[in-house]
DNA sequence: AAACGGCGGAACGCAACCGTTACGTCGTAG
DNA sequence: CTACGACGTAACGGTTGCGTTCCGCCGTTT
């Protein structure tokens, strides 16, 4: 029986190492070193760097995020923005996600794993959010959830993970107003 | 005198290699191999992998892009979207940019180089675009160019470089309408 | 008490790169 | 015609990582 505490130590080490040096330069030896573990313990669990990283990352990525339902679209939206922006501010997310995204452009297996994890949540959240708003009459019936998701997550991701600019206090409010107006116009 | 054709061959090799394996795994030997050149030719020009990549990338990144002025905001916007989306569809851009972005989270020098190249263009385009529209009376005076840039580039980058979904015909139109509505609401 | 199995540690042969050096070739400037 | 300098090739010693193997330790199970 594989020891659970060792597995946990390895998982943590992989995530830390991933944030620090990225997938490309992540080495099994460094993971073992950081976890305070023999290489054998790792190879007893996974046979590859790729397999190891994918198993660990997708396990984390598939944790369900509770969908907001505050009673109004503006409330839902602001809460969602808050959740996403908080998540993206964390070092783990803001370093690991872009890194794996870049890697996904090269490795189909990474791409598939990531896309599944990401798109599943994405469309789920988008459709629920937009659906609720339409039911409430806050958005026109023809609103495109696809465009909506892009208009919501895109700027946030851009600003936090790409441009790496801070989000000031009034930004989220302006942004909420902008997105609401934008979505009404897509119908 | 260093031979120009050799320099060109190296530059091309670096870009190709960068797209193929990413910065983290890019090796001088591989660049030399691909360029059909000795390692000595490379070390005669740059002393580092970092220095080499930075010099080459920033040279390319700083090429000026003509700013659109079609006479109307909708026209400007649609042209800009077309330019950016075409650029991001190219393998070079869609692989190298996210890769360097991810790397920038770790390496301050890469971050600084990239940010300068990116933000310079970004704010220039944004301010010109928004400024023109305000002058024409198409957008209210208080329109925030900062938010505007995020609302324009964010979704595009997200969709093309992150989610890697195609952009259908009617998407750009819907998107143009959405952005226009969004910006009117940020004042 | 004995057997089992996961563990860390150490070492294996192999491969890739690093950054540097020495050498011989070849085109061009003087 | 000569001298220079950029070039490719090859090799250097050193480092890092791969994936594997063997060992001895130790807690659990039986």
């Amino acid at each position: 029986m594989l020891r659970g505490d060792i597995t946990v130590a390895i998982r943590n080490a992989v995530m830390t190492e991933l944030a620090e040096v990225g997938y490309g330069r992540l080495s099994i030896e460094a993971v073992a070193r950081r976890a305070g573990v023999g290489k054998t313990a790792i190879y007893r669990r996974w046979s590859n760097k790729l397999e190891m990283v994918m198993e660990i990352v997708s396990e984390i990525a598939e944790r369900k995020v509770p969908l907001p339902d505050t009673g109004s679209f503006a409330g839902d939206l602001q809460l969602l923005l808050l959740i996403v922006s908080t998540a993206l501010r964390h070092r783990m997310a803001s370093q690991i996600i872009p890194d794996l995204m870049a890697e996904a452009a090269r490795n189909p297996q990474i791409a598939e794993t990531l896309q599944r994890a990401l798109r599943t949540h994405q469309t789920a959240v988008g459709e629920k959010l937009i659906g609720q708003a339409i039911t409430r009459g806050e958005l026109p019936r023809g609103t495109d959830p696809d465009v909506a998701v892009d208009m919501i997550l895109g700027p946030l991701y851009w600003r936090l993970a790409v441009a790496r600019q801070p989000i000031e206090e009034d930004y989220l409010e302006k942004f909420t107003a902008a997105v609401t107006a934008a979505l009404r116009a897509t119908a």
Side-chain angles (χ1 to χ4, degrees), chain A:
Chain A
M1 205 57 220
L2 298 172
R3 271 173 54 185
D5 56 333
I6 302 273
T7 305
V8 169
I10 298 176
R11 293 183 117 86
N12 293 339
V14 166
M15 293 306 283
T16 310
E17 204 69 15
L18 215 45
E20 207 150 286
V21 305
Y23 179 83
R25 275 194 290 248
L26 179 136
S27 78
I28 303 266
E29 310 229 346
V31 171
R33 229 177 292 135
R34 162 158 271 140
V37 144
K39 273 200 295 179
T40 39
I42 295 180
Y43 280 109
R44 216 169 277 127
R45 289 166 172 77
W46 305 278
S47 59
N48 267 321
K49 164 172 142 180
L50 177 60
E51 189 185 310
M52 174 181 73
V53 172
M54 285 300 90
E55 199 266 352
I56 293 176
V57 167
S58 62
E59 195 276 334
I60 292 179
E62 274 164 15
R63 288 180 194 163
K64 297 260 162 99
V65 177
L67 304 182
D69 185 1
T70 65
S72 79
F73 177 64
D76 286 358
L77 183 54
Q78 208 140 10
L79 181 57
L80 176 62
L81 294 180
L82 201 64
I83 292 175
V84 175
S85 68
T86 308
L88 277 183
R89 249 194 292 273
H90 276 37
R91 194 166 151 276
M92 282 295 177
S94 67
Q95 302 217 357
I96 293 180
I97 294 177
D99 185 87
L100 289 181
M101 284 297 177
E103 198 61 33
R106 266 165 237 124
N107 188 321
Q109 194 171 341
I110 294 184
E112 207 244 342
T113 303
L114 239 57
Q115 295 288 358
R116 193 177 44 237
L118 231 157
R119 197 159 335 173
T120 303
H121 279 249
Q122 194 175 312
T123 56
V125 172
E127 276 167 14
K128 179 165 184 202
L129 190 74
I130 302 304
Q132 285 171 353
I134 291 179
T135 306
R136 291 195 201 101
E138 290 171 308
L139 285 179
R141 196 168 312 279
T143 305
D144 188 338
D146 209 26
V147 179
V149 170
D150 293 350
M151 294 293 298
I152 294 170
L153 294 184
L156 220 51
Y157 183 84
W158 171 268
R159 195 176 181 87
L160 288 173
V162 180
R164 298 192 183 271
Q165 288 173 289
I167 286 192
E168 302 97 25
E169 281 192 29
D170 61 334
Y171 185 88
L172 279 188
E173 282 178 33
K174 268 190 185 174
F175 185 52
T176 307
V179 170
T180 309
L183 294 191
R184 291 219 178 90
T186 60

